[in-house]
């Protein structure tokens, strides 16, 4: 039985991939903060129960809708990007608030670090249980 056959490891791996994909989208939003008519995108909130049966290997990618936009893509996970509801829109039509995006980036980074730490500690617990030094 491999590590990935254990539900806790496959769930944590999927969650870390979700955070990596989200980081790419948030970076794209920050990069396009001054692009006219750009609307930010984000991932649907991660739900362990919903993801349980969907641990597939399909890829997500973003597309350039305007020639001046940056585009980020990730071949990991099956996470669908969606347009964000923009409550503040600049006169140029841009819906990105840089402060909000940076808060999301920071929160996403902290959540990713928590998942990574939990993954590493779970591996250490298994090693101790198998009689190997952690």
């Amino acid at each position: 039985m491999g590590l990935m056959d254990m539900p806790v490891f496959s769930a944590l791996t999927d969650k870390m991939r979700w955070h990596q994909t989200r980081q790419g989208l948030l970076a794209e939003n920050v990069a396009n903060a001054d692009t006219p008519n750009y609307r930010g995108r984000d991932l649907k909130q991660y739900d362990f129960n919903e993801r349980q049966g969907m641990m597939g290997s399909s890829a997500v990618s973003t597309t350039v809708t305007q020639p001046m936009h940056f585009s980020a893509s990730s071949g990991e996970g099956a996470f669908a990007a969606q347009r964000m509801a923009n409550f503040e829109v600049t006169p140029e039509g841009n819906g990105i608030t840089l402060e909000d995006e940076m808060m999301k980036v920071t929160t996403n980074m902290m959540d990713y670090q928590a998942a990574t730490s939990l993954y590493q500690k779970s591996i250490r617990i298994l090693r101790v249980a198998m009689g190997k030094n952690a």
Side-chain angles (χ1 to χ4, degrees):
M1 178 195 240
L3 281 181
M4 294 313 295
D5 294 331
M6 300 176 80
V8 69
F9 289 107
S10 61
L12 285 170
T13 300
D14 195 48
K15 176 76 167 152
M16 289 186 289
R17 285 186 182 133
W18 181 87
H19 283 295
Q20 289 171 341
T21 303
R22 185 171 191 228
Q23 193 72 16
L25 287 175
L26 295 174
E28 184 178 328
N29 290 345
V30 170
N32 287 296
D34 292 328
T35 304
N37 297 318
Y38 181 79
R39 296 285 193 244
R41 297 181 311 151
D42 202 349
L43 295 180
K44 180 180 171 191
Q45 191 63 32
Y46 189 88
D47 181 5
F48 279 109
N49 293 329
E50 183 181 309
R51 297 289 306 160
Q52 224 169 9
M54 300 172 48
M55 300 276 187
S57 61
S58 56
V60 68
S61 64
T62 59
T63 55
V64 177
T65 57
Q66 298 285 326
M68 297 302 290
H69 288 176
F70 294 104
S71 178
S73 64
S74 172
E76 305 214 39
F79 311 110
Q82 58 189 13
R83 293 263 179 224
M84 296 176 355
N86 302 106
F87 300 107
E88 296 180 32
V89 178
T90 64
E92 295 84 26
N94 186 306
I96 299 295
T97 305
L98 200 52
E99 293 83 7
D100 291 343
E101 292 304 304
M102 294 311 294
M103 295 263 306
K104 290 179 194 175
V105 166
T106 302
T107 301
N108 189 61
M109 182 181 65
M110 291 184 334
D111 290 347
Y112 178 82
Q113 289 172 343
T116 303
S117 177
L118 187 56
Y119 189 93
Q120 291 171 341
K121 288 178 184 187
S122 298
I123 288 179
R124 278 192 219 122
I125 289 171
L126 279 178
R127 290 185 62 137
V128 168
M130 294 183 336
K132 298 180 180 181
N133 292 335

